[in-house]
Amino acid sequence: MAKAKTYYYCRECGYQSSSWLGRCPQCGKWNTFDEEVVQTDTRSTAGLRKQGGMQSQPRLIQQVTYSETRRIPTRCAEFDRVLGGGVVPGSLLLLGGEPGIGKSTLLLQTALSLRDRKVLYVSGEESEEQIKMRADRIQSAGLLAESSADTGCYVVSETSLERIFTHLDTLQPELVIVDSIQTVTTEAIESGAGSISQIRECTTRFQHYAKESGVPVLLVGHITKDGTLAGPKVMEHIVDAVLQFEGDRNYGFRILRVLKNRFGSTAEIGIFEMRGSGLAEVANPSELLLAHRDEELSGAAVAATLEGVRPMFIEVQSLVSSAVYGTPQRNANGFDLRRMGMLLAVLEKRCGFKLGAKDVFLNMAGGMRVSDPAIDLAVACSILSSNVDIPIPPRYCFAAELGLSGEVRPVSRLEPRVAEAARMGFEKVFVSKYDAKNLDSRRYGIEVVSVSVIEEAFRKLFA
């Protein structure tokens, strides 16, 4: 018997309430509750609970056996790197990103690349003809590892969850892609598409399908205006991996980050270049980010960062000028603004530069967003270079953290950073003296400059 109830859901965190609340007791946000009329079949729900309870039996952990899970390679090196080597069978993945960033293109290229596997691409936003047009454009550009003339990719334009599962039972695919989860609706919930109850119910149904059949499911999710994944937070807890596809529209490359991964690392990133015909992998992002460094300009420094196990070199750009409007401005793109304020306080206290009355602007070249502490020394030297208007030689790079007392602290995994710096043709790398003790510079063919405090780094750079 169908029973209708009215609930109020917080659009930020998915908290459920039987009455409207001005402030969410879970996330603390104001005026975020939306009313939804939910109508479910209580008899079918009770039957599912009873059937599920009869199927499972508790066992001792010593009696549980498992086999080594073989991942499904997507034949996209950057995508496999982020996933930890490929898609795990029976996993549920969620890919989020801004509209037009390239989520559908990435997953369609993945579906076309898996020639030896049966893939079902379910689209609730595009027709089958539109998907075919995009697939032809990708194939004609030669962005796939192999020719996909005989690909095993099936496409269907459908938004009904019940009809989607009918197609799954008939086709028996080895990989399912749903674009997007906000467009899928189920008849068990009497609410509009994209509502919190619909998203939560459809995600749970896909999770049950993936775990029972062993078929991996990739879901595309929209994001809100503040950059978070749309829908309740419980959806992020249901899925096995949460991927974020981001990038600046003014630049041609995109970054694939992993926010959650039950089967791999969360520190890896994948770099893609957006072209008119599709997404191309970027095997060496450092060359792309440092492609325009012919002239010596003040305020520019190169930082040796590490994303997972991958060394990357990013140009840090700073501009220090006198405050024209009285109140000094602080602005940082791709870097934590609060950490920049801390570094400015260290420079003013330890180096004696009066930066409190000056405007300071910081930018990570190429639209990159960096959280590695090893970039601190490059940021500090970039700000000092702009302040004294003396350029840093373009073949110098930095890899060290800066403490509150001005000491230059060691960083993790310095060896791959130095080896990559030597391969990229850098002449000097500035590191902490505690790191330099255990580093053989003759092995890499690059001069390692050890510094203990920020004043020493300033003297060796601008003496």
Side-chain angles (χ1 to χ4, degrees), residues 137-436:
R137 187 171 66 249
I138 294 173
Q139 293 173 2
S140 62
L143 296 177
L144 304 179
E146 300 179 10
S147 175
S148 57
D150 299 327
T151 182
C153 178
Y154 293 81
V155 297
V156 61
S157 181
E158 187 58 71
T159 58
S160 172
L161 183 66
E162 286 72 22
R163 287 196 289 268
I164 291 175
F165 275 100
T166 301
H167 296 314
L168 294 178
D169 295 337
T170 304
L171 188 61
Q172 296 293 322
E174 299 175 75
L175 179 68
V176 180
I177 299 174
V178 181
D179 184 12
S180 65
I181 189 62
Q182 276 80 12
T183 62
V184 180
T185 59
T186 175
E187 298 175 358
I189 304 294
E190 291 293 335
S191 59
S195 61
I196 293 178
S197 56
Q198 284 283 3
I199 294 175
R200 180 163 49 187
E201 178 67 20
C202 294
T203 305
T204 304
R205 293 282 299 276
F206 279 118
Q207 181 202 30
H208 293 166
Y209 169 78
K211 303 306 178 186
E212 293 173 0
S213 63
V215 177
V217 180
L218 280 69
L219 306 177
V220 175
H222 297 164
I223 64 172
T224 59
K225 59 182 179 181
D226 59 350
T228 59
L229 286 167
K233 283 293 180 182
V234 69
M235 183 174 66
E236 300 182 25
H237 298 306
I238 293 174
V239 300
D240 297 311
V242 179
L243 309 177
Q244 185 80 9
F245 206 39
E246 60 188 35
D248 194 332
R249 294 183 179 274
N250 297 322
Y251 296 92
F253 57 90
R254 303 288 186 261
I255 303 173
L256 181 64
R257 299 181 184 272
V258 54
L259 307 180
K260 170 190 174 181
N261 191 358
R262 289 174 177 165
F263 309 109
S265 173
T266 58
E268 295 288 355
I269 67 169
I271 309 293
F272 298 88
E273 183 182 1
M274 175 59 78
R275 301 175 181 175
S277 53
L279 290 167
E281 301 178 46
V282 178
N284 193 346
S286 298
E287 294 181 355
L288 178 66
L289 297 173
L290 300 178
H292 309 286
R293 285 187 55 81
D294 297 332
E295 300 180 1
E296 294 188 7
L297 302 174
S298 62
V302 178
T305 66
L306 204 66
E307 292 287 351
V309 296
R310 181 188 222 175
M312 291 179 54
F313 288 82
I314 299 176
E315 182 179 356
V316 181
Q317 300 173 345
S318 299
L319 177 62
V320 180
S321 61
S322 300
V324 180
Y325 301 103
T327 303
Q329 300 182 58
R330 301 286 188 266
N331 191 8
N333 294 326
F335 191 74
D336 188 5
L337 184 60
R338 293 173 296 181
R339 190 167 186 85
M340 186 187 75
M342 182 199 74
L343 295 177
L344 292 176
V346 172
L347 294 178
E348 185 163 354
K349 178 72 174 180
R350 302 301 173 186
C351 293
F353 291 100
K354 304 301 180 183
L355 300 174
K358 295 185 177 182
D359 295 335
V360 180
F361 303 95
L362 184 67
N363 178 54
M364 301 292 117
M368 295 291 294
R369 182 162 51 88
V370 186
S371 58
D372 187 3
I375 202 176
D376 287 352
L377 185 58
V379 171
C381 293
S382 173
I383 294 174
L384 293 177
S385 171
S386 178
N387 185 60
V388 299
D389 200 18
I390 299 178
I392 298 176
R395 293 301 174 185
Y396 289 8
C397 62
F398 305 86
E401 184 182 356
L402 201 59
L404 288 178
S405 58
E407 78 277 12
V408 180
R409 302 174 59 85
V411 296
S412 62
R413 299 182 59 84
L414 181 65
E415 290 81 3
R417 304 175 196 257
V418 177
E420 182 69 10
R423 193 189 68 82
M424 293 288 296
F426 286 92
E427 300 174 357
K428 293 183 180 181
V429 54
F430 287 74
V431 301
S432 171
K433 72 173 184 178
Y434 305 102
D435 272 334

